[in-house]
Amino acid sequence: FFCPSGFLKRFFRFVAKVAPVTNSGGLSMYLSTLLKNTCMLVAGVVFAAFALFLTSNHFMHNGFDGLFRKNLDTMRRFVEDDIATMKDRLMYEVNLLSRSHEVKQAFLERDNRLLAELIKPKNTRIRTSFATLTDRDGIVLVRSHSNKVGDSIAESTIMAHALDGVASVDVVKLRNNGLSIAAAAPILIDKTIVGVILLGESFATNGFVDEIKAVTGLEMTIFDHDMRLSTTLVREGVPLEHAWTILMWR
């Protein structure tokens, strides 16, 4: 411990004034009392500083953690609401298409070229990335986004419901479109199911994440398990760890 000599001189002068040197017992008692008081003062300061550190650290940590959790919960609710809205719009649109006189007429005439034109996303009132039309067995007749036909998509839950005559919508994993929000509705002619129309938005495109970012200003990435499906990050050059990540498993 370093102490300047000038300070020591002043200290001993102070001690000599308060407790004369002739009274060695008084001097010893004074020094003992001074030492105790000094130790108590130092201990009090250290304890107060430590308590202040723990208190401030606790409130700062809990404050930031609580704010982060609140923002994350708000983001989660926003995404859920957006998905629910998308489901409602898809359900409305797929029912309109399945009941369309033009679609039914083109279906009866097996005019696949006209059917492909009628179900193209540009002819719907909402954002979609794919539309598919099948026969009553779930065999693909027309795709708006691909020339591939003849395969079956009857295994998906919403397709199974539609083939049973019930329109439905859900977040599903489709064989050719991956994880998607999709709706399917039966095409009825004379109360007989002749086919099914499937309409949806794939999470493999950036339409959904771009919409979320446009409203919230936040970067977003969607994963199917550990596979990244879409993101707003790659065009911005923002590090992945800075994103709000929405995990969706099926």
Side-chain angles (χ1 to χ4, degrees), residues 9-143:
K9 290 179 180 180
R10 287 193 295 271
F11 173 75
F12 285 118
R13 286 174 185 169
F14 171 76
V15 171
K17 287 181 180 180
V18 177
V21 178
T22 54
N23 188 354
S24 60
L27 177 61
S28 298
M29 184 179 297
Y30 175 78
L31 290 176
S32 177
T33 303
L34 180 63
L35 181 61
K36 289 179 181 179
N37 290 340
T38 302
C39 291
M40 291 178 63
L41 179 62
V42 171
V45 171
V46 171
F47 177 78
F50 184 66
L52 180 61
F53 169 76
L54 290 180
T55 304
S56 60
N57 184 66
H58 171 76
F59 283 106
M60 287 182 65
H61 179 270
N62 287 349
F64 286 124
D65 185 63
L67 180 61
F68 176 79
R69 289 178 181 273
K70 183 178 179 181
N71 288 339
L72 186 60
D73 189 57
T74 300
M75 180 65 175
R76 177 186 58 79
R77 289 198 302 269
F78 179 82
V79 172
E80 288 176 350
D81 290 345
D82 195 69
I83 290 176
T85 300
M86 189 68 178
K87 284 181 177 180
D88 291 341
R89 292 175 179 175
L90 279 171
M91 195 67 167
Y92 177 77
E93 193 67 26
V94 79
N95 279 321
L96 280 182
L97 285 172
S98 67
R99 297 167 186 170
S100 166
H101 175 72
E102 288 181 296
V103 170
K104 291 182 178 182
Q105 189 64 33
F107 194 91
L108 285 174
E109 296 174 359
R110 296 294 180 181
D111 190 344
N112 289 348
R113 180 176 297 180
L114 178 58
L115 284 172
E117 186 64 28
L118 290 173
I119 66 173
K120 279 184 177 179
K122 69 178 183 180
N123 292 325
T124 62
R125 282 167 283 273
I126 60 173
R127 185 192 72 247
T128 57
S129 58
F130 65 87
T132 304
L133 192 144
T134 76
D135 64 14
R136 61 185 178 183
D137 297 316
I139 305 300
V140 175
L141 301 176
V142 175
R143 279 189 171 95

